[in-house]
Amino acid sequence: MTEDVPRYTAREAIALVTSGFTELPGPTSPVPASPVHANPADASDSSDPTRKFGPDGPLSWQGYDASRARAAARTGEEESVVCGTATIGGTATVLISFEFGFLGGSLGERTGDRLEAAYGYAREHRLPVVSLVATGGSRMQEGMRALVQLQRVARQSTLTREAGLPQIAVLRDPTTGGGWATLGAGADVVLALPGAQVGFAGSRVRPPDADPAAYTAEAQLAAGAVDAVVPPAELPGLLRLWLHLLSHPSAEPVPPPSALADTDLPATGWEAVGNARSPQRPRATAYLDAFLARRAAISGDRCGGTDDGMLCGFGVLKDGGRTVAYAAQTGTATRPAGYRTAARLIRLADRLRIPVLTLVDTPGAANDAEAERQGAGAAIADVFGAVAAARTPLTTLLIGEGGSGGALALAAPDNTWATPDSYFSVIAPELAAAILKRPPEEVRATADQLRIRPQDLVDLGVVRGIVEPLKSQP
């Protein structure tokens, strides 16, 4: 930790995001530490004899009871985590905040008791979960009894995910070990405070030659593991927005946006290509700005990569105020990380029952050697699978180039629309001519043969229709 990175106490972190907090009562009796129960109801059984320990915990770690007493006196907390409810921006929420001053915010069995109770309360009352994480990992004074709490927390997170409830993590300094690998990295949306230490390895157990810059919130953002690094002053507003966006399901599909350019339908296939490739054509950002009043982005594929050419997130429609999810290509060749991020977005929206809008605009998937090493084929397949499996409504608008399978992967079957300045093709006309061993002067004729104009796509049944320009709408 550097001097300019604050370490908030659990209560200070809570006060940073809400002015109203009601602490949940701690569990009246311990629950089993077993991470897996055949019946979720078994989680409340307090008859586990292995929880009856003598002085200094399950390992009889000399001085452990005294250490806990000193931590409690110093922090005013009974455990390393504080759990309660709060209303953040109008959204009732279960709030979990770690107290790093209590034995390094470590997870022990009593921590697991509190976390399990908090998650159970969230499911019972249908509330999202926000975790303000600051932890060094599992409590070594409790040995393996502490480590298995990670399985226990992972189960609670999974049950909450299956219940269709959103989970947001805010990473404070430090967030390491099992706390990062469960409550942190396992959340639907991961925010982090600037400069926070974030990584599986804590500062005292890393290789001696490890670059400390790799274990920061900023490094995790660059690696696709964090959605945003947020200054403390901006955190309350962004958290309010995220809770609003993720807590408003809808069964209605997104209406296709109107075209932003007043372009005539092309007379030829090559003219369609020229319209779509024009530098003056509106791009994805212009469409998102025009049709969403507010939005918040997710970033990264959670596998080590990001792609600036794929914009993903959630927003509020200007017309009607409904929450929608979006995955939008920006006109560049889409990288594997971009496809994986889009698949992540679609699956999250599907689980939360939020309709999805995809904006298709790419000359095709990136096909360089690095893209192949990063698993381009598997990443594209992942998007195809996410779209095919989605139960939430999907709407697609083709706003520019539709280059082969790299574009089709994002297209909603039976609900894809096109703007007048777009085209969709099984392959770029230039590449088709090359494959057919035609001279360059036959590229234009090849474009016509491919029938790639918007009106051709309607005739072929590939798109449902061509959207009208925005200014002509009543």
Side-chain angles (χ1 to χ4, degrees):
M1 180 186 72
T2 59
E3 293 183 358
D4 59 345
V5 180
R7 277 191 174 169
Y8 298 98
T9 68
R11 306 282 174 171
E12 288 172 342
I14 291 170
L16 186 64
V17 299
T18 182
S19 58
F21 176 75
T22 302
E23 189 167 355
L24 291 171
T28 56
S29 60
V31 295
S34 175
V36 178
H37 307 284
N39 183 343
D42 294 342
S44 61
D45 180 7
S46 59
S47 61
D48 182 6
T50 64
R51 296 297 298 272
K52 299 175 181 177
F53 302 129
D56 292 325
L59 305 186
S60 298
W61 187 286
Q62 185 174 3
Y64 178 44
D65 285 349
S67 296
R68 284 180 50 85
R70 288 193 298 271
R74 183 172 58 253
T75 64
E77 306 296 350
E78 296 178 355
E79 246 305 327
S80 59
V81 68
V82 177
C83 303
T85 59
T87 299
I88 302 177
T91 303
T93 306
V94 165
L95 196 55
I96 295 169
S97 187
F98 278 75
E99 176 53 68
F100 189 76
F102 194 105
L103 301 181
S106 56
L107 282 79
E109 286 195 282
R110 295 182 187 178
T111 319
D113 292 343
R114 291 185 172 219
L115 292 173
E116 184 167 89
Y119 273 106
Y121 187 94
R123 292 194 298 274
E124 180 183 355
H125 296 273
R126 302 295 302 166
L127 300 178
V129 177
V130 173
S131 299
L132 310 175
V133 188
T135 174
S138 300
R139 192 169 298 170
M140 63 181 181
Q141 295 93 332
E142 295 184 19
M144 284 302 299
R145 295 292 296 183
L147 189 64
V148 296
Q149 301 308 305
L150 302 183
Q151 294 175 311
R152 190 176 173 194
V153 171
R155 174 176 172 77
Q156 292 304 310
S157 178
T158 298
L159 291 173
T160 303
R161 184 176 297 112
E162 290 176 349
L165 299 171
Q167 300 174 65
I168 301 174
V170 178
L171 312 181
R172 297 151 48 205
D173 186 66
T175 298
T176 60
W180 164 230
T182 52
L183 285 159
D188 299 319
V189 175
V190 182
L191 311 176
L193 297 181
Q197 293 183 69
V198 180
F200 188 65
S203 59
R204 298 184 182 182
V205 297
R206 299 168 191 160
D209 59 346
D211 178 7
Y215 302 86
T216 63
E218 289 76 8
Q220 298 291 353
L221 176 66
V226 165
D227 291 301
V229 174
V230 189
E234 298 176 12
L235 180 61
L238 184 57
L239 198 54
R240 287 194 295 268
L241 176 57
W242 268 119
L243 285 168
H244 174 81
L245 291 173
L246 300 183
S247 302
H248 287 77
S250 172
E252 297 297 320
V254 184
S258 302
L260 294 184
D262 190 3
T263 305
D264 293 333
L265 289 174
T268 67
W270 189 245
E271 183 181 345
V273 173
N275 290 342
R277 293 178 180 174
S278 170
Q280 286 73 44
R281 175 181 57 78
R283 305 286 166 152
T285 300
Y287 277 89
L288 296 176
D289 288 342
F291 295 99
L292 298 180
R294 295 176 295 163
R295 68 180 189 268
I298 67 169
S299 176
D301 62 1
R302 300 297 187 261
C303 299
T306 62
D307 180 8
D308 292 338
M310 181 74 78
L311 306 179
C312 294
F314 294 78
V316 177
L317 287 175
K318 289 182 178 179
D319 183 10
R322 292 192 297 124
T323 295
V324 301
Y326 64 85
Q329 293 169 315
T330 64
T332 61
T334 304
R335 311 286 313 172
Y339 289 114
R340 285 191 286 262
T341 304
R344 173 188 159 215
L345 179 281
I346 292 167
R347 291 192 176 103
L348 174 57
D350 188 46
R351 178 158 45 82
L352 300 179
R353 296 296 188 265
I354 295 172
V356 179
L357 170 67
T358 63
L359 301 178
V360 170
D361 183 12
T362 179
N367 59 5
D368 54 88
E370 185 60 28
E372 293 297 340
R373 281 191 286 266
Q374 293 170 357
I380 297 169
D382 197 26
V383 179
F384 271 118
V387 169
R391 294 159 294 178
T392 196
L394 273 70
T395 302
T396 296
L397 181 63
L398 175 66
I399 64 170
E401 291 195 82
S404 194
L408 186 66
L410 280 176
D414 303 320
N415 198 24
T416 292
W417 303 75
T419 63
D421 50 354
S422 65
Y423 80 90
F424 219 143
S425 181
V426 64
I427 190 172
E430 299 93 332
L431 298 179
I435 290 174
L436 296 171
K437 298 182 179 180
R438 294 178 176 178
E441 56 268 22
E442 292 189 27
V443 168
R444 298 189 177 203
T446 302
D448 287 334
Q449 284 183 292
L450 288 169
R451 298 196 65 192
I452 61 180
R453 301 175 302 167
Q455 58 268 44
D456 296 327
L457 302 175
V458 174
D459 292 341
L460 292 169
V462 175
V463 303
R464 288 184 60 179
I466 303 168
V467 296
E468 297 292 330
L470 178 62
K471 69 179 184 179
S472 68
Q473 299 296 306

